Amino acid sequence: MELPIYQVDAFAEKPFEGNPAAIVPLTSWLPEEAMLAIAAENNLAETAFFVPAPEGADAAGGRYHLRWFTPTVEVDLCGHATLASAHVLFTHLAPGLKDVRFETRSGELTVTREESGRLQMDFPARPMKPAAAPEGLAEALGARPLGVLKGTNLMALFDRAEDVAALRPDVLKLTRLCGPLNVGLIASAPGQEGSGIDYVSRFFAPAHGINEDPVTGSAHCDSGPYWAKRLGKDALVARQISKRGGTVHLRIKGERVELAGTCADFMQGTIHI
């Protein structure tokens, strides 16, 4: 069997920025073990697979079923691979589309082309609540956060962007801490004054096979509502300050979060299985 594959840098203006995702368009689902094997072989943070919904796609808007896999597990929500999947459709497979609707384990996700050239995603908001710091968190991160919030993930708050950039977490300790809780860890702080960035973050998910994710759209469904409330504004610009880095534009709309960014093609090929 031969399958097309695209590698796309999401939340990036050019290759080697943002978060790389592999996208595999299908006409029908492969066995789950085959999709997981492909994701493990790609060894990227996410490999996304999509198939047309039964009603297919038309010029008024495409509808597809979408699934995401890390090298070790299937996940419920992934922002950057959703953005990259929409980019593949808009750029290579269905350039006439103006919006794409994905049916996923997290419900329907819509991606729309903006006049600015950014792709805008409509995701569920995932508010967080203050929580006690898990035992060993400071040791795992290498620094003691000012506070901790918990929701779908944990979020450790710091005073300055420099504090987040300086973190050198102990991956083994972080895996032991986050694994039993089945969460990733967001480290976040306000952006530097005058930088045009409202908040910065990093995201660690070693229990899911990702020591540090370059840019994590889904994590901004957690962090965005918190920072919107704290800063008193609904429109935000966030910067994930991983080694590759990436910028996410957000708008908080009640129980939804709009995430926008751009993508860059890196590679197109064929899988032989």
Side-chain angles (χ1 to χ4, degrees), residues 23-37:
I23 310 301
V24 183
L26 301 170
T27 56
S28 61
W29 290 122
L30 299 172
E32 188 171 310
E33 58 268 23
M35 292 189 285
L36 187 55

Side-chain angles (χ1 to χ4, degrees), residues 108-182:
E108 183 177 279
L109 306 177
T110 302
V111 187
T112 304
R113 287 201 254 197
E114 295 182 330
E115 291 185 5
S116 64
R118 290 195 291 261
L119 304 183
Q120 178 182 283
M121 304 184 292
D122 177 42
F123 272 33
R126 304 192 301 200
M128 312 184 84
K129 295 182 179 180
E135 185 176 352
L137 178 61
E139 292 76 9
L141 277 175
R144 188 170 300 279
L146 298 176
V148 173
L149 294 96
K150 189 176 187 305
T152 304
N153 293 297
L154 288 174
M155 184 159 69
L157 297 172
F158 291 87
D159 188 41
R160 304 176 305 152
E162 294 90 335
D163 299 332
V164 175
L167 293 175
R168 297 294 181 267
D170 184 311
V171 172
L172 182 58
K173 290 181 179 179
L174 204 56
T175 303
R176 290 173 176 168
L177 186 149
C178 293
L181 299 174
N182 194 31

Side-chain angles (χ1 to χ4, degrees), residues 72-108:
T72 59
V73 296
E74 184 173 6
V75 297
D76 291 335
L77 185 64
C78 177
H80 84 279
T82 302
L83 197 74
S85 296
H87 170 82
V88 167
L89 285 162
F90 288 141
T91 305
H92 300 288
L93 303 181
L97 294 178
K98 291 186 168 96
D99 61 80
V100 175
R101 288 165 289 168
F102 293 116
E103 297 293 339
T104 77
R105 286 167 61 163
S106 291
E108 183 177 279

Side-chain angles (χ1 to χ4, degrees), residues 222-246:
D222 306 310
S223 57
Y226 167 80
W227 286 107
K229 184 176 181 179
R230 175 167 163 176
L231 299 176
K233 55 195 301 189
D234 294 332
L236 302 163
V237 180
R239 180 74 181 173
Q240 197 154 329
I241 52 173
S242 63
K243 184 177 180 180
R244 291 172 64 98

